[in-house]
Structures are given as C-alpha cells and as structure tokens.
Amino acid sequence: MIQSMTGYGKTVVLYKGKKINVEIKSLNSKQLDLTTRIAPLYREKEMEIRQLIAEQLQRGKVEFAIWIEKEAATEAAPVNTALMENYLSQLQAFAAGHNMQNTDWMQILVRMPDVLTKTEVEVLDEEEWKAARQGVGEAIQHLVDFRTQEGAALEAKIGRASCRERV
C-alpha cells in the first residue's frame, strides 16, 4: 500500500482539569526530519517521544507539538497575603513618617513584586505521562491513517491515469 508523505494528526486528552493537546504533521522529505515543541512539563520525555515517532514514521519532515491548556481556576496565581500584609505595614509606616495622606493601598499592593506570583513547580507523575503518551500514540496513528488514505487516493489516481494511457 502506497502511503503519502503528507499528513496530519491531532488528539486532545483530558486529565485532571488539563487538556493535553498533541499535534503532528508531515511533509515530503527523503529521511526523517523531526522538529518538536514540547511543553516544559514533558521535556524530560522528549527522547521517548522522538523514539515513538521514529518507530512509526521512517520518512518525512515532521513537526510535533504537545502543549497543555488548564482550566482558568487552576491557572490563576494565588494571592500571597502574608507578603501583601508585610508590604502594607511598610507602606503605611512610610506614609505616616512622611505625613502622606491615605491612599488606595490595594492598587499599589497588587503591583508589588511576587504578590501575584505562582511559585509551585509542576512535576510529571507517571499517571499523567501515561495519559499524555497515549495521546502521542493516537496522534501518530491519526497521521499514519491520514497518510494511508492519501496514498490510496494517489494510487487510485495513478491507476486511472495509467488505464487512460493504455487506451
């Protein structure tokens, strides 16, 4: 069966409030030319991802991307209230020492460094990687299916053209 060199595959995996998006596309190339864009959480798995792709696709200029979309509620940076209180007491002491009038402290406080900073570091757990890896495999399979369909259409077109030449 002839397989086209061009193709596209995409999968979305839902995992604990995250949408793990996996996209892969290929164009003509004599050998496998793979470029990747991998979300920071999955970078430690880049070699495994490359191996999964190379096992299924021997040729083609392949672009692979995996990224995460999170629910807005989980993405919002928490307010560091202890730091805000510290800033407020320092600002109020400064204002009192310099005969400054009361001001809208909230507008000032939310602009202070690290008040609205997300400091947690995400660690990839095995369960999430299993879900993401399944998404990678599905996207690759969608690409292979696409290439196979394109190849069949190409084969049919070539077959019709060769039949016309014989007549």
Side-chain angles (χ1 to χ4, degrees):
M1 165 77 52
I2 294 176
Q3 229 186 47
S4 172
M5 292 301 297
T6 61
Y8 178 81
K10 182 173 183 177
T11 299
V12 176
V13 177
L14 300 176
Y15 178 81
K16 292 185 180 179
K18 296 179 183 181
K19 281 174 61 176
I20 303 168
N21 297 277
V22 182
E23 184 178 69
I24 186 167
K25 41 190 163 178
S26 70
L27 297 170
N28 293 342
S29 183
K30 289 182 181 180
Q31 62 269 349
L32 183 61
D33 178 13
L34 177 59
T35 57
T36 61
R37 287 180 298 149
I38 299 174
L41 183 61
Y42 302 122
R43 284 202 184 119
E44 67 185 74
K45 301 295 186 179
E46 181 172 358
M47 294 312 294
E48 187 174 340
I49 291 170
R50 286 178 171 275
Q51 186 177 357
L52 288 168
I53 294 168
E55 287 171 1
Q56 294 289 319
L57 310 173
Q58 289 74 41
R59 296 177 56 195
K61 179 171 174 42
V62 178
E63 294 179 16
F64 173 86
I66 183 169
W67 70 96
I68 303 168
E69 294 176 49
K70 296 181 183 176
E71 293 177 357
T74 61
E75 191 62 19
V79 177
N80 188 336
T81 55
L83 186 60
M84 278 182 78
E85 289 170 0
N86 187 304
Y87 281 139
L88 180 60
S89 66
Q90 290 180 53
L91 290 170
Q92 287 173 332
F94 180 82
H98 292 83
N99 273 341
M100 297 175 75
Q101 297 293 332
N102 280 349
T103 186
D104 185 3
W105 295 116
M106 189 57 82
Q107 285 186 4
I108 295 169
L109 289 171
V110 295
R111 293 187 182 124
M112 299 300 286
D114 299 325
V115 167
L116 299 175
T117 302
K118 198 167 191 169
T119 56
E120 72 182 46
V121 176
E122 253 188 310
V123 177
L124 181 61
D125 65 36
E126 198 55 41
E127 188 178 323
E128 180 173 350
W129 172 240
K130 185 177 177 182
R133 190 178 193 281
Q134 179 182 350
V136 170
E138 287 176 13
I140 294 169
Q141 189 56 53
H142 290 313
L143 175 91
V144 170
D145 292 346
F146 189 102
R147 289 168 86 171
T148 302
Q149 290 172 354
E150 289 282 310
L154 195 64
E155 190 174 44
K157 189 174 185 177
I158 292 170
R160 284 192 300 265
S162 66
C163 286
R164 282 188 221 130
E165 290 176 8
R166 285 188 229 145
V167 175

